[in-house]
Amino acid sequence: MTENTNAATDTTFPGNSFPDDRRYSRDHAWVRTNPDGTATVGITAYAADQLGKLVFIDMPSPGDTLEAGAESFDIESGKSISPFVSPVGGTVEETNGAVYDDPTIINSDAYDAGWILTLRADGADGAGLDEAPGLMDAAAYADYLSTLA
């Protein structure tokens, strides 16, 4: 994973910035289209902050199918167990073993080292993920968060 240098700053939640190169869901997941047509998926720094220190992620396996908008697996923190709602549907290609071994990576680096999985999005090459229904760009996600305060 490469370090992201494009970020929209959200002044409502100081210290949070949301990379411009991905889309965000109301369930606080993010998705980024990769050049090979796959999509990388994770949770936002806002979600990680709300959950607290992450202790376990019940990751899917490569080959599993995720459905957009459906609860796909659980993320456990010291506070609770929360379902991960996939922002897009597709077949899991890879999971982040480092995050499986140490979920706190998400707490410290949700947008780069803290990615959770890659998948081959429904629709073969993943084209059109940027326009997937219900997903927001960074500025719209920041605006959405301001309604939660």
Side-chain angles (χ1 to χ4, degrees):
M1 305 300 300
T2 59
E3 185 174 330
N4 177 53
T5 57
N6 300 323
T9 301
D10 173 15
T11 56
T12 307
F13 296 94
N16 281 339
S17 62
F18 309 104
D20 286 319
D21 65 346
R22 56 202 80 198
R23 296 292 183 249
Y24 302 86
S25 74
R26 290 182 178 268
D27 296 304
H28 310 291
W30 59 261
V31 59
R32 181 185 63 219
T33 305
N34 300 317
D36 67 357
T38 61
T40 300
V41 177
I43 66 169
T44 66
Y46 174 82
D49 181 63
Q50 294 299 302
L51 289 167
K53 182 180 176 182
L54 300 179
V55 297
F56 181 72
I57 299 179
D58 182 25
M59 293 210 187
S61 298
D64 287 353
T65 301
L66 304 184
E67 183 179 328
E71 295 179 5
S72 303
F73 53 89
D74 290 325
I75 299 175
E76 185 175 344
S77 71
K79 294 180 180 180
S80 66
I81 298 175
S82 300
F84 175 84
V85 178
S86 186
V88 293
T91 304
V92 176
E93 294 218 337
E94 178 183 13
T95 58
N96 187 343
V99 163
Y100 180 80
D101 293 339
D102 181 8
T104 63
I105 293 170
I106 295 173
N107 294 109
S108 62
D109 191 7
Y111 300 113
D112 289 311
W115 63 276
I116 296 174
L117 59 88
T118 61
L119 56 77
R120 174 79 46 198
D122 292 339
D125 65 0
L129 282 177
D130 289 343
E131 292 81 31
L135 296 182
M136 301 169 269
D137 65 17
Y141 181 67
D143 288 345
Y144 170 67
L145 288 182
S146 71
T147 69
L148 304 178

